[in-house]
Amino acid sequence: MSDAPQARGAPVESSESLPFMMMDEVLERLKMLDYEAQFRSFPPLTHTYFAMPNANPNEQFFYFMSVAAWVIGLLGHSWRAPSQMDDP
């Protein structure tokens, strides 16, 4: 048992909600970096885009790898952006 009492109405973090909370945080940080300007040809990210399986995993993989390559580039490292035909 926990030493601290649970506050009434306080959100309970579970392993099921963790991916959604992490995606929220990632999305907010990407917005701070103005990712929307770089990824205009992509649909805007949602709060669940990488937290849930996508109907098209190749598209999801390509988007993730493109964002990762862009962030790595912001850090001053070069990394080849993936091709949409790369196998996830």
Side-chain angles (χ1 to χ4, degrees):
M1 280 199 331
S2 174
D3 292 349
Q6 180 72 22
R8 186 178 295 215
V12 176
E13 293 181 23
S14 71
S15 61
E16 292 175 1
S17 65
L18 186 59
F20 299 102
M21 293 181 342
M22 290 177 71
M23 184 60 208
D24 261 349
E25 188 171 328
V26 166
L27 184 56
E28 291 306 313
R29 290 177 186 218
L30 287 172
K31 286 180 180 180
M32 286 183 219
L33 296 171
D34 195 27
Y35 92 96
E36 294 102 336
Q38 181 70 24
F39 292 91
R40 290 179 195 193
S41 62
F42 289 84
L45 284 174
T46 64
H47 293 276
T48 61
Y49 190 78
F50 294 123
M52 297 173 51
N54 192 311
N56 185 347
N58 287 339
E59 178 185 283
Q60 190 177 31
F61 175 72
F62 179 68
Y63 204 153
F64 174 78
M65 295 304 287
S66 297
V67 170
W70 176 68
V71 170
I72 290 169
L74 290 177
L75 295 172
H77 301 283
S78 67
W79 189 59
R80 182 184 66 82
S83 160
Q84 188 136 18
M85 300 317 235
D86 286 349
D87 187 22

